[in-house]
Amino acid sequence: MSALLTLCVALLLLGTPRCGAQHWEPCTDLHPLDILAEAVPMNGATSGIRMVQAEGVLGLQFSAAEPRTMSFPASRIFSSCDLFPEEFSIVVTLRVPSLPPKKNEYLLSLLAEERDTLLLGLRYSPTQLHFLFLTEDLAGAWQTRVSFRSPGLVDSQWHTLILAVSQGSFSLTMDCGFPMDIMADVPFPPTLSVRGARFFIGSRKRTKGLFTGLIRQLVLLPGSDATPRLCPSRNARLAELSIPRVLKRLTEKPDANDVLKYPYEADMKVTLGSRPPCTKAEGVQFWFDAAQKGLYLCADSQWVSVLTAKTKLDYVEEHQSLHTNSETLGIEVFNIPGVGLFAATANRKARSAIYKWTDGKFVSYQNIATHQAQSWRHFTIGKKIFLAVANFGPNERGQEFSVIYKWSPRKLKFTLYQRIATHSARDWEAFIVDGEHFLVVANHREGDNHNIDSVIYRWNPSSQLFEANQSIATSGAYDWEFFTVGPYSFLLVANTFNGTSTQVHSHLYIWLVGAFQLFQSFLTFGATDWEVFHIGERIFLAVANSHSYDVQMQAQNDSYVLSSVIYELNVTAQNFVKFQDIPTCSALDWEFFSVGEDHFLVVANSFDGNTFSVNSIIYRWQGYEGFVAVHKLPTFGCRDWEAFNTTAGSYLIYSSAKEPLSRVLKLRTG
């Protein structure tokens, strides 16, 4: 072989311009490339493709008869360049049925047809998603595989995946959640030639490994990470970058040609008559109740109404004036299976009370000795039912204890179970992490010192008691809230006062390596409550700010009139960002509730600097407008709100910290 020919071969293997050929150009300036739309036949051919509706969304399903049906030459989109982009994203929206163990199916492949060589591929198994690519140099060619764990992919639900590739960095984001990042030893090649190559959708040009699910979106975005374009999203499982026109909407009347091209069917059945079973084994199905003229959808083993008049909140009316033992700092509404609905009131004076819902009203059921009780927390461990009270004051012996009570099925009342030493306790929160049960107390102060530790207690299955597990430094702690985001567990504290100022940071902690660690801080003003709630796929936090005060500045009356804040989770930034400020009057509590398809927040306004007779407000979720005030509720020293439902309807109950009277309000709907 001549020296010149040897050099040409070497340069060819390295991906540099060929001898005597035009200059190869990388594809870096392309717009999003809708690969799925490119592969859909435009000539009316029906072989191998059908359109299927699942969960109200359209996708394409392929037949194993002819994998080549869903393919096209790479030159169709790489018309002015020869090299696959070195940095890119692949966006896929798919619905995957369960797979047998060890089976793999292809979502996408790019083949050099003459050599039948896989240049690039994306395939999945029941537990992993694999990205494959070919690397070549003077030593030869080999295939590299980058594998991501995908535990939630094969569940017969829609998911959107974003694979972002940049040299040796590979990132997979599922449903706009937290990304999984991998730094590979072998980077994606900067000179992967696409000359003579062909894209195959849902296969590797073979019937083996053919994609058996539904696919709705398959887009290549050269040159950048697609995640910021899609996330956050109101419906992260169906986040959209580019969808073939035929799959856009079910509400549009399809083109006659579209009907011919893509046979349409829905993967569900409709049953007429008596109520059929609704389990996962039955799959997705409708039931039409002719007697009630209602249409129901089987989802998550429950019949969900999809064709009835929408329920909406018309107005709020007083239902019951509940006279309490004394001023009430907090209310806990809970249900005991087989017994009934209860409400526990945390009363300022010596006795707190438990009420039972009887004949449409709360009636006195049990009195319990407490010491300036601030709040109750109901929780269960197995079959055991507990109530924990946060006592702010000392007992007759000057000792400070908060107490856990256990429900006695024999006596049909709560009995003392465990005393825990606390310091001016304001709140208990019960939660489960990794199968273990925990309680955390908000210790407000010890004497005049507000900067003390609050304590997390862990349930010991052997001793059947709660034992101290972790201490967290707090400043006048008032409230704890626990919540989860995907696999992550969070604990959020409302800090009220540090001894000199109410302008202190409240903190969000994340569970890592067996303990809670600081995740994010929020500047708050006498924070007394956090409310965590979801609207669709969006996650929000609402803080109740009660007072802006600093010993260095003289307190003014309007220091009680200030904004409380709603934060929203920004998945891309991986933290909570301010969503909305809402003017409040010494807010002490938020409560989130829903009526039909509408979502609401009610705030406990307690004091405006002059009077405790102030209106508490119900806000309705208005989408882009955020929460908008819709109802004013006259309250007096309002301290706590609770929402609950009975067979007779939906209710709100609020407590007053300034009079021995709580009120039950009924939500009138139309």
Side-chain angles (χ1 to χ4, degrees), residues 14 54 95 110 162 183 252-253 284 298 313 362 412 427 467 479-480 516 533 538 545 567 571 576 596 623 666:
L14 288 172
R95 187 175 187 266
L110 178 61
I162 305 173
M183 293 298 297
E252 290 183 351
K253 185 176 179 180
V284 179
C298 178
L313 177 61
F362 283 115
L412 293 180
D427 180 57
E467 300 172 353
D479 177 59
W480 284 101
F516 283 97
F533 57 95
R538 303 170 70 175
N545 286 323
Y567 299 88
V571 177
F576 286 88
K666 187 168 186 178

Side-chain angles (χ1 to χ4, degrees), residues 231-351:
C231 303
S233 171
R234 293 181 181 275
N235 189 352
R237 294 195 297 120
L238 292 167
E240 182 178 319
L241 183 59
S242 180
I243 304 291
R245 184 177 64 87
V246 71
L247 300 178
K248 279 285 186 180
R249 296 184 185 93
L250 284 173
T251 54
E252 290 183 351
K253 185 176 179 180
D255 229 356
N257 291 331
D258 289 338
V259 175
L260 291 174
K261 279 194 232 177
Y262 318 110
Y264 168 79
E265 64 183 67
D267 64 339
M268 55 184 67
K269 61 181 181 179
V270 179
T271 301
L272 178 66
S274 59
R275 180 190 296 258
C278 173
T279 65
K280 290 184 178 180
E282 267 72 40
V284 179
Q285 61 173 315
F286 280 110
W287 164 51
F288 182 71
D289 184 352
Q292 301 295 327
K293 296 182 180 180
L295 184 64
Y296 299 86
L297 172 67
C298 178
D300 296 329
S301 302
Q302 291 184 344
W303 288 110
V304 179
S305 175
V306 295
L307 190 61
T308 56
K310 291 185 178 180
T311 302
K312 62 180 182 178
L313 177 61
D314 284 341
Y315 58 93
V316 181
E317 65 180 16
E318 184 166 336
H319 179 76
Q320 179 187 4
S321 293
L322 182 63
H323 294 274
T324 53
N325 295 340
S326 63
E327 302 93 329
T328 302
L329 282 303
I331 296 179
E332 178 83 342
V333 180
F334 58 95
N335 184 69
I336 298 179
V339 182
L341 181 73
F342 293 85
T345 59
N347 297 117
R348 186 187 301 276
K349 294 185 179 177
R351 301 182 73 81

Side-chain angles (χ1 to χ4, degrees), residues 559-577:
S559 60
Y560 293 94
V561 179
L562 69 166
S563 291
S564 292
V565 184
I566 300 173
Y567 299 88
E568 181 181 5
L569 176 63
N570 185 317
V571 177
T572 303
Q574 297 188 25
N575 63 8
F576 286 88
V577 297

Side-chain angles (χ1 to χ4, degrees), residues 40 45 47 67 95 104 126 159 180 266 277 297 300 309 352 358 393 418 433 470 521 569 575 639:
V40 171
S47 174
R95 187 175 187 266
N104 285 265
H159 295 289
M180 293 177 280
L297 172 67
D300 296 329
S352 292
T358 306
Q418 183 182 358
V433 178
Q470 182 183 356
S521 298
L569 176 63
N575 63 8
R639 176 62 183 86

Side-chain angles (χ1 to χ4, degrees), residues 148-165:
F148 299 88
R149 291 185 58 82
S150 56
L153 181 60
V154 186
D155 60 359
S156 295
Q157 293 189 18
W158 287 105
H159 295 289
T160 294
L161 309 177
I162 305 173
L163 173 68
V165 177

Side-chain angles (χ1 to χ4, degrees), residues 296-521:
Y296 299 86
L297 172 67
C298 178
D300 296 329
S301 302
Q302 291 184 344
W303 288 110
V304 179
S305 175
V306 295
L307 190 61
T308 56
K310 291 185 178 180
T311 302
K312 62 180 182 178
L313 177 61
D314 284 341
Y315 58 93
V316 181
E317 65 180 16
E318 184 166 336
H319 179 76
Q320 179 187 4
S321 293
L322 182 63
H323 294 274
T324 53
N325 295 340
S326 63
E327 302 93 329
T328 302
L329 282 303
I331 296 179
E332 178 83 342
V333 180
F334 58 95
N335 184 69
I336 298 179
V339 182
L341 181 73
F342 293 85
T345 59
N347 297 117
R348 186 187 301 276
K349 294 185 179 177
R351 301 182 73 81
S352 292
I354 298 174
Y355 300 85
K356 184 180 180 183
W357 186 261
T358 306
D359 296 328
K361 292 187 177 182
F362 283 115
V363 298
S364 181
Y365 185 84
Q366 181 182 357
N367 286 311
I368 295 178
T370 54
H371 303 279
Q372 297 181 46
Q374 302 292 299
S375 64
W376 288 95
R377 184 66 65 211
H378 162 262
F379 61 97
T380 61
I381 299 178
K383 295 182 179 180
K384 297 182 179 66
I385 300 171
F386 296 96
L387 264 182
V389 65
N391 283 325
F392 189 80
N395 60 18
E396 297 79 4
R397 300 180 181 179
Q399 302 166 319
E400 289 190 42
F401 287 104
S402 291
V403 184
I404 302 171
Y405 297 87
K406 179 178 174 292
W407 175 257
S408 170
R410 183 176 62 85
K411 297 180 179 179
L412 293 180
K413 67 177 184 179
F414 285 94
T415 58
L416 191 150
Y417 187 80
Q418 183 182 358
R419 290 187 179 92
I420 296 179
T422 54
H423 301 288
S424 300
R426 290 283 192 182
D427 180 57
W428 284 105
E429 177 78 341
F431 56 94
I432 302 173
V433 178
D434 296 338
E436 293 193 292
H437 293 264
F438 295 86
L439 271 178
V440 58
V441 66
N443 284 327
H444 187 69
R445 72 182 185 208
E446 186 174 6
D448 293 331
N449 181 19
H450 290 77
N451 300 306
I452 61 173
D453 287 347
S454 291
V455 182
I456 301 172
Y457 299 87
R458 184 181 66 88
W459 175 258
N460 186 329
S462 299
S463 65
Q464 298 283 290
L465 295 172
F466 282 97
E467 300 172 353
N469 183 76
Q470 182 183 356
S471 295
I472 296 179
T474 51
S475 299
Y478 218 101
D479 177 59
W480 284 101
E481 288 293 319
F482 174 83
F483 64 98
T484 60
V485 178
Y488 301 98
S489 297
F490 293 93
L491 200 54
L492 182 59
V493 66
N495 285 323
T496 306
F497 186 59
N498 62 8
T500 60
S501 176
T502 61
Q503 300 181 33
V504 295
H505 282 91
S506 294
H507 300 297
L508 176 64
Y509 300 89
I510 185 172
W511 178 268
L512 293 174
V513 199
F516 283 97
Q517 302 180 28
L518 183 63
F519 180 80
Q520 186 178 352
S521 298

